[in-house]
Amino acid sequence: MKNKAIDKPTARRGRWGQDRRLEFIDHRLTWEGRLNRTALTEFFGISIPQASLDLARYMELAPGNTEYDLSQKTYVALPTFRPLFVDASSGRYLAELYALTTGVLLPDVSFIGSAPPADVVRHPTRTVAAPHLRLALMAIREGRQLVISYQAVSRPEPTERVVSPTVFAYDGYRWHMRGYCHLRNGYRDFVFARILSMTIGDRSDRTLAQDEAWHRMLDVVIAPHPSLAEGPRRAIALDYGMEDDQLTVPTRQALAYYLLKRLGLATPSALPATEQQIVLVNREDLIPYVPQLAHQAG
């Protein structure tokens, strides 16, 4: 009985380990077009025979994906290559490259082998206190309230709020916690950096399912600025992947204003078309769901 209790977890670890190694092989062939056994042995700390077995297994699962090139002494992706395990979208690769470049992801855990030279525009980020994050996670997980001291922009002094947190969101610059505010009797957003103190409170009967603005999806329709000449207009359409000079961006109602603000569309702009290169096509349709648009327009 003792041996069986040990063998089962060991077997699970072995299967999981090979799955990750097969994904690694697939990733390298997808983005670099080649892979040798040394890459496997160095990344995973396995033996050359084990790496050979992994490559043989990958070729068994995807016979048209790779072959060994004797002249290069490496496995190369064939013209018939099709990713077997990985998300081969450019967005997935660039997200990992971004994480590598900013130091969020360390090279020894990234499947990217030969990363191209890259850098990102650095901008100030809002801090998230680790103790507050842990308490917020606990409150969401256990369905509890939080008692917070919050410094709102609209008030001169911090106020105490009782909040039932339900979800986190990122607006491109900062993380916030969204939940039911028992002071204002509605679902609101709370920027982590503005929370001065936080303690766990009572059990809550407010859930994410009750947050209509979170679940309601809206379409934000953008287009090149009509004042642009044909060449710049075509360039902007290509930048955003527009079809027929329009792009529809689905977003949650609760996040729509952040999206519009980041695109420079939350307020009617007086900037020339060369600077504000896109316009919001369906502003009037969105006003019932994003009332800030009406206030800003007025």
Side-chain angles (χ1 to χ4, degrees):
M1 292 297 292
K2 184 176 180 181
N3 288 337
K4 288 183 179 179
I6 295 172
D7 289 346
K8 287 184 179 180
T10 302
R12 283 199 296 271
R13 285 198 298 271
R15 287 198 296 272
W16 182 89
Q18 187 177 61
D19 287 345
R20 288 290 287 168
R21 297 194 296 271
L22 294 175
E23 185 182 340
F24 178 89
I25 294 168
D26 204 43
H27 187 283
R28 288 289 176 91
L29 290 173
T30 298
W31 295 113
E32 299 181 22
R34 64 187 61 238
L35 171 82
N36 57 33
R37 285 173 292 188
T38 303
L40 277 166
T41 60
E42 291 182 350
F43 192 92
F44 291 101
I46 59 174
S47 65
I48 289 289
Q50 181 61 62
S52 298
L53 289 173
D54 292 338
L55 283 159
R57 176 58 177 160
Y58 181 83
M59 295 174 73
E60 179 185 347
L61 294 172
N65 272 9
T66 186
E67 68 179 7
Y68 188 73
D69 187 307
L70 287 172
S71 62
Q72 299 184 59
K73 296 183 179 180
T74 191
Y75 290 84
V76 297
L78 296 171
T80 53
F81 177 85
R82 295 291 181 274
L84 188 62
F85 297 105
V86 304
D87 176 1
S89 67
S90 58
R92 176 64 183 84
Y93 180 90
L94 292 174
E96 187 167 339
L97 181 61
Y98 177 90
L100 273 174
T101 305
T102 56
V104 173
L105 189 66
L106 297 178
D108 60 354
V109 296
S110 169
F111 283 1
I112 294 178
S114 301
D119 206 345
V120 301
V121 175
R122 311 284 172 162
H123 54 77
T125 56
R126 310 294 179 90
T127 58
V128 178
H132 291 174
L133 179 59
R134 284 193 290 269
L135 285 177
L137 289 167
M138 180 190 300
I140 292 174
R141 185 171 59 247
E142 298 181 1
R144 304 280 291 274
Q145 297 175 351
L146 290 172
V147 181
I148 66 173
S149 175
Y150 191 72
Q151 179 60 69
V153 173
S154 59
R155 295 174 181 264
E157 298 294 333
T159 57
E160 183 175 286
R161 310 282 187 97
V162 177
V163 179
S164 296
T166 54
V167 70
F168 294 161
Y170 183 67
D171 69 359
Y173 295 104
R174 65 189 187 186
W175 280 98
H176 64 256
M177 173 182 72
R178 183 171 173 83
Y180 188 84
C181 176
H182 294 266
L183 175 67
R184 300 176 67 184
N185 296 318
Y187 285 88
R188 298 290 188 272
D189 300 335
F190 298 90
V191 179
F192 270 105
R194 298 176 187 168
I195 299 174
L196 304 180
S197 65
M198 177 187 292
T199 56
I200 285 285
D202 298 332
R203 293 282 180 180
S204 175
D205 60 354
R206 300 293 177 172
T207 67
L208 183 59
Q210 299 164 330
D211 187 353
E212 294 181 2
W214 181 261
H215 294 287
R216 181 180 291 114
M217 299 300 296
L218 303 177
D219 285 338
V220 172
V221 184
I222 62 174
H225 199 292
S227 298
L228 289 173
E230 181 180 352
R233 190 169 62 249
R234 186 181 304 116
I236 296 305
L238 289 169
D239 281 347
Y240 287 90
M242 296 179 182
E243 294 184 7
D244 299 324
D245 276 358
Q246 283 196 356
L247 176 68
T248 299
V249 184
T251 185
R252 298 181 187 276
Q253 180 186 348
L255 301 179
Y257 181 71
Y258 301 115
L259 170 63
L260 294 168
K261 189 174 181 180
R262 190 165 190 190
L263 292 173
L265 299 172
T267 59
S269 177
L271 294 173
T274 52
E275 294 186 42
Q276 180 56 51
Q277 300 167 330
I278 58 173
V279 295
L280 178 60
V281 174
N282 61 334
R283 180 178 295 272
E284 293 300 319
D285 294 337
L286 293 174
I287 285 176
Y289 304 104
V290 191
Q292 300 99 315
L293 295 179
H295 299 156
Q296 299 289 354

